[in-house]
């Protein structure tokens, strides 16, 4: 029986794909969730890399690449997946920031729960907004976009050819700014309504000092806030579709900015 021999080019191709996929697993939402055991994520990364290996042409590998000099490519190849995951992480950080604003305005900022995905304490509404965002992300097959972006990187980004340029830094700064923009846009209606409610309660307190504002004010603010929050859920799917569509374009434009 002849021994099974695997060409070194095939091994190098698999390792390059594995490094890019591993970057996705480190930072991308859902893929990097701590609620999924590390062994399961590792097995998924290996199986996914093995499946996607034929998509990387052998001609894309640098000449003379072997196990001895592939270590120099590890950081650049892993960072390709990390930056793609960072783009999506900024969107979900904006959803969590919106939850922080809502929790603070409604008086729930001191009530925290452990988020199974990150294993850190977060407010109730941050937890709620984050999981609503993940639900709609899965409904739009957003988790497939990372695989499509990795596939696109095989054609547009040569192995070891990632460069940190001005347009790339501009993309990262814009992604970081989106955290504030998304958070304020989602929490904006609740923020505005609760501020108006505070002003009205303050005016009532001055006009009728016999009213116990501590007894009347907080329930009234909660009632108005929850009513506005419930009403805003009608418009939330449309806004999420907008920001997820923008994320889809950002993933591929970020790849081209690395060239």
């Amino acid at each position: 029986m002849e021994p099974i021999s695997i060409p070194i080019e095939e091994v190098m191709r698999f390792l390059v794909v594995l490094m890019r996929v591993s970057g996705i697993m480190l930072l991308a939402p859902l893929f990097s969730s701590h609620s999924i055991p590390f062994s399961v994520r590792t097995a998924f990364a290996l199986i996914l890399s093995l499946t996607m290996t034929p998509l990387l042409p052998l001609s894309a590998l640098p000449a003379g690449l072997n196990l001895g000099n592939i270590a120099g490519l590890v950081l650049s190849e892993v960072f390709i997946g990390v930056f793609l995951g960072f783009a999506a992480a900024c969107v979900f950080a904006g959803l969590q920031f919106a939850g922080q604003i809502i929790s603070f305005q409604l008086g729930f900022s001191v009530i925290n729960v452990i988020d199974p995905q990150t294993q850190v304490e977060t407010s109730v509404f941050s937890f709620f907004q984050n999981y609503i965002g993940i639900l709609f992300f899965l409904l739009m097959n957003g988790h497939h976009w990372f695989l499509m972006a990795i596939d696109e990187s095989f054609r547009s980004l040569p192995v070891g050819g990632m460069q940190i340029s001005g347009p790339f830094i501009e993309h990262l700064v814009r992604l970081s700014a989106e955290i504030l923009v998304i958070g304020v846009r989602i929490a904006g209606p609740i923020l505005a309504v609760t501020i108006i409610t505070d002003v009205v309660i303050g005016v009532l307190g001055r006009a009728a000092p016999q009213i116990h504002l501590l007894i009347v004010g907080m329930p009234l603010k909660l009632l108005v806030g929850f009513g506005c929050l419930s009403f805003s859920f009608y418009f939330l799917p449309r806004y999420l579709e907008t920001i997820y569509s923008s994320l889809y374009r950002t993933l591929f434009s970020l790849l081209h900015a690395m060239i």
Side-chain angles (χ1 to χ4, degrees):
M1 182 176 180
E2 296 183 0
I4 299 176
S5 61
I6 301 177
I8 188 64
E9 293 83 5
E10 295 294 337
V11 176
M12 293 299 100
R13 182 161 67 165
F14 171 75
L15 291 178
V16 170
V17 176
L18 178 61
M19 285 185 284
R20 295 192 180 187
V21 172
S22 298
I24 293 287
M25 296 296 174
L26 289 175
L27 205 58
L30 193 65
F31 290 104
S32 61
S33 174
H34 289 278
S35 60
I36 303 175
F38 180 77
S39 58
V40 175
R41 285 183 287 158
T42 302
F44 181 73
L46 291 172
I47 295 173
L48 186 60
S49 301
L50 186 62
T51 305
M52 300 186 69
T53 294
L55 299 177
L56 176 63
L58 286 174
S59 58
L61 298 177
L65 183 65
N66 52 48
L67 292 175
N69 54 23
I70 196 174
L73 300 176
V74 171
L75 285 180
S76 63
E77 295 302 307
V78 170
F79 276 143
I80 293 174
V82 167
F83 287 130
L84 293 175
F86 175 77
C90 287
V91 172
F92 287 91
L95 296 175
Q96 294 177 351
F97 180 58
Q100 293 283 359
I101 297 175
I102 296 172
S103 296
F104 180 79
Q105 288 300 115
L106 297 183
F108 286 89
S109 57
V110 296
I111 304 175
N112 294 328
V113 295
I114 299 295
D115 188 353
Q117 291 196 86
T118 59
Q119 297 298 319
V120 297
E121 287 190 5
T122 184
S123 64
V124 176
F125 285 102
S126 293
F127 180 86
F128 184 59
Q129 293 282 352
N130 185 41
Y131 275 83
I132 286 181
I134 290 177
L135 176 62
F136 279 99
F137 191 67
L138 293 175
L139 288 175
M140 294 182 64
N141 289 325
H143 54 296
H144 294 170
W145 299 345
F146 298 109
L147 308 183
M148 296 168 62
I150 291 293
D151 179 36
E152 176 65 23
S153 72
F154 296 151
R155 293 188 291 268
S156 62
L157 198 60
V159 178
M162 189 191 78
Q163 298 181 1
I164 305 298
S165 58
F168 177 71
I169 298 298
E170 183 181 351
H171 272 83
L172 294 184
V173 173
R174 189 181 301 113
L175 287 171
S176 302
E178 283 296 314
I179 298 176
L180 177 63
V181 174
I182 293 173
V184 172
R185 284 182 175 178
I186 293 177
I190 295 91
L191 182 63
V193 167
T194 51
I195 290 176
I196 294 174
T197 304
D198 287 335
V199 172
V200 171
I201 292 174
V203 172
L204 288 177
R206 296 289 295 178
Q210 65 274 18
I211 298 178
H212 297 282
L213 296 182
L214 293 178
I215 299 176
V216 178
M218 191 60 188
L220 179 61
K221 186 176 180 180
L222 284 175
L223 179 63
V224 173
F226 275 110
C228 182
L229 179 63
S230 301
F231 184 71
S232 67
F233 285 152
Y234 178 80
F235 302 97
L236 184 60
R238 184 173 300 177
Y239 180 64
L240 289 178
E241 181 181 3
T242 301
I243 61 176
Y244 288 158
S245 299
S246 176
L247 172 62
Y248 176 80
R249 295 188 296 269
T250 300
L251 289 175
F252 294 94
S253 61
L254 195 61
L255 281 176
H256 294 289
M258 296 181 191
I259 302 175

